[in-house]
Amino acid sequence: TLSSITADIYNRSIAVSYDGATKAIVADKKMFISLDDGAFNPVLTPIVEHILSSVSSEDNNVIYGIDANWQFTKSSDGGASWSTPYSLSTGCSKLPRVRASKANNNYVYAFAEETGVGTCTGVGVSTDALSTMTLASVAGNWATEIVFPMNPSDETNAAIIGAETIIETNDSFSSVSSYTTTTSISTSNHGFDGFISPLDNSLMYYVSAGSMIEVDSVSQDKFNITSSLTMSDPAAIEGFSDGSVYVISRTGQLDYSTNAAGSFVALTSDPGLTTCSARLLKAAAGDPSNVIVTGCNNGSRVAYTKDGGSTWVEINLTNYTYSASCVIRDMAIKDNTGNYELYIACKDRNTLVLKMG
């Protein structure tokens, strides 16, 4: 026993900050941190036997996951217990992602991050929180990396964006429309995820290779609108139903829009986070203006702020025994009555839970 740590220990390590004020201990696959040489608080715990390819939650309580074999897992009580309500056999060798709708967390979509192999062009659709699911056949030929934007105010409105091919639906892929844009702009190395404007659903936005892209379904073309930002190197974007939009740079600067990407202002200065060419970006459903998390897609660093970007806590998962081999695939936020937790899906490794102390 060390201070408040009582876990059985079979593998442990300790790290101390340069000034000696912060101490981190890994014990029994759990991470504990003390900021004042006093009690050690648990901040990182693995979810036993949950090796997930992707996680998603848009109400910060019901959490969805999917593994490499397209088996879904779900927690209806904020991660306290889990079930495996559905398995979708696709014959697809590509890693899937799962996405819940901001408009209705019962609407859940699953898709392969890379398409073009077997039935990878199918999209899994559930409208009842995974009680049932159908595999919608979505014909088309698009890039090896796709963007899957969703409308934060309409759970039935989603799209698939490739380099030129655009596929849209207004009825959860029961039917689709498609077109080829005049301008080809890659979706490779993109920040997750894009979004469809809640003010005008003919407009979609995503980030790719350090640029912000607008897709206009009326003109059926793509436009590079990076110049509308105060930054020059966007790495991820997230939009909400009220028209608020957050864009984060490769090093953590936040830009903010109140009119669904019509214009932007700098929300924060650049905090100098470790550079990531493509980021994941999530804001808490209950407090999106303050609680924001980001992680390096296919990297090892996560960071969070609880004051709208004024201060950040950045964590390198490779510094700790249990999380050292985590390659970040996805993230979801859980709100435990104001005590936020971050679920991190690691490629081929157990999913982690980071307590945002």
Side-chain angles (χ1 to χ4, degrees), residues 31-56:
M31 185 194 303
F32 303 82
I33 285 183
S34 171
L35 301 177
D36 57 5
D37 244 355
F40 283 79
N41 299 310
V43 296
L44 191 64
T45 305
I47 304 176
V48 178
E49 301 302 327
H50 282 303
I51 301 176
L52 301 176
S53 171
S54 177
V55 289
S56 182

Side-chain angles (χ1 to χ4, degrees), residues 117-194:
V117 177
T119 53
C120 277
T121 51
V123 176
V125 180
S126 176
T127 62
D128 52 15
L130 293 185
S131 293
T132 60
M133 175 162 278
T134 59
L135 181 62
S137 179
V138 182
N141 180 25
W142 46 83
T144 56
E145 288 184 306
I146 64 170
V147 179
F148 193 88
M150 300 168 66
N151 190 328
S153 65
D154 182 355
E155 60 269 29
T156 68
N157 186 199
I160 295 170
I161 300 177
E164 300 99 8
T165 302
I166 312 295
I167 298 173
E168 300 181 55
T169 182
N170 289 302
D171 55 13
S172 300
F173 292 97
S174 293
S175 62
V176 299
S177 60
S178 63
Y179 56 90
T180 301
T181 58
T182 304
T183 305
S184 176
I185 299 179
S186 174
T187 52
S188 296
N189 198 26
H190 59 83
F192 300 94
D193 298 289

Side-chain angles (χ1 to χ4, degrees), residues 56 58 98-104 107-111 147-161 169 173 193-198 203-205 239-240:
S56 182
E58 292 299 346
V98 62
R99 286 292 176 264
S101 168
K102 282 183 169 63
N104 185 338
Y107 276 66
V108 183
Y109 297 88
F111 60 97
V147 179
F148 193 88
M150 300 168 66
N151 190 328
S153 65
D154 182 355
E155 60 269 29
T156 68
N157 186 199
I160 295 170
I161 300 177
T169 182
F173 292 97
D193 298 289
F195 80 101
I196 299 172
S197 171
L203 299 176
M204 297 179 282
Y205 300 90
F240 290 84

Side-chain angles (χ1 to χ4, degrees), residues 198-218:
L199 306 183
D200 179 356
N201 71 352
S202 69
L203 299 176
M204 297 179 282
Y205 300 90
Y206 71 96
V207 166
S208 174
S211 297
M212 182 171 166
I213 310 302
E214 178 184 80
V215 182
D216 187 335
S217 62
V218 175

Side-chain angles (χ1 to χ4, degrees), residues 329-349:
R329 282 274 307 161
D330 214 348
M331 303 187 307
I333 301 174
K334 172 210 166 185
D335 181 1
N336 185 17
T337 318
N339 297 313
Y340 292 93
E341 296 178 347
L342 178 62
Y343 283 72
I344 306 170
C346 306
K347 184 177 181 180
D348 300 327
R349 294 290 185 271

Side-chain angles (χ1 to χ4, degrees), residues 54-300:
S54 177
V55 289
S56 182
S57 176
E58 292 299 346
D59 68 357
N60 296 164
N61 184 52
V62 178
I63 306 166
Y64 302 102
I66 190 171
D67 67 17
N69 297 315
W70 289 69
Q71 177 172 282
F72 293 85
T73 186
K74 171 187 172 181
S75 174
S76 299
D77 52 14
S81 61
W82 293 80
S83 62
T84 53
Y86 210 88
S87 181
L88 187 64
S89 177
T90 67
C92 177
S93 62
K94 302 299 184 181
L95 291 175
R97 290 190 185 271
V98 62
R99 286 292 176 264
S101 168
K102 282 183 169 63
N104 185 338
N105 200 59
N106 290 328
Y107 276 66
V108 183
Y109 297 88
F111 60 97
E113 183 179 350
E114 298 180 6
T115 64
V117 177
T119 53
C120 277
T121 51
V123 176
V125 180
S126 176
T127 62
D128 52 15
L130 293 185
S131 293
T132 60
M133 175 162 278
T134 59
L135 181 62
S137 179
V138 182
N141 180 25
W142 46 83
T144 56
E145 288 184 306
I146 64 170
V147 179
F148 193 88
M150 300 168 66
N151 190 328
S153 65
D154 182 355
E155 60 269 29
T156 68
N157 186 199
I160 295 170
I161 300 177
E164 300 99 8
T165 302
I166 312 295
I167 298 173
E168 300 181 55
T169 182
N170 289 302
D171 55 13
S172 300
F173 292 97
S174 293
S175 62
V176 299
S177 60
S178 63
Y179 56 90
T180 301
T181 58
T182 304
T183 305
S184 176
I185 299 179
S186 174
T187 52
S188 296
N189 198 26
H190 59 83
F192 300 94
D193 298 289
F195 80 101
I196 299 172
S197 171
L199 306 183
D200 179 356
N201 71 352
S202 69
L203 299 176
M204 297 179 282
Y205 300 90
Y206 71 96
V207 166
S208 174
S211 297
M212 182 171 166
I213 310 302
E214 178 184 80
V215 182
D216 187 335
S217 62
V218 175
S219 64
Q220 297 189 353
D221 207 357
K222 289 184 175 184
F223 305 92
N224 188 325
I225 61 167
T226 310
S227 60
S228 67
L229 301 171
T230 70
M231 64 181 72
S232 60
D233 57 346
I237 187 171
E238 183 167 34
F240 290 84
S241 60
D242 63 356
S244 60
V245 180
Y246 297 87
V247 177
I248 193 168
S249 76
R250 292 179 173 181
T251 52
Q253 178 184 329
L254 287 169
D255 273 13
Y256 179 64
S257 171
T258 60
N259 54 7
S263 60
F264 285 89
V265 296
L267 184 64
T268 65
S269 58
D270 191 339
L273 301 180
T274 301
T275 299
C276 302
S277 58
R279 285 186 172 275
L280 295 137
L281 178 63
K282 302 291 181 183
D287 193 5
S289 62
N290 286 303
V291 182
I292 303 169
V293 300
T294 184
C296 297
N297 184 51
N298 288 324
S300 61

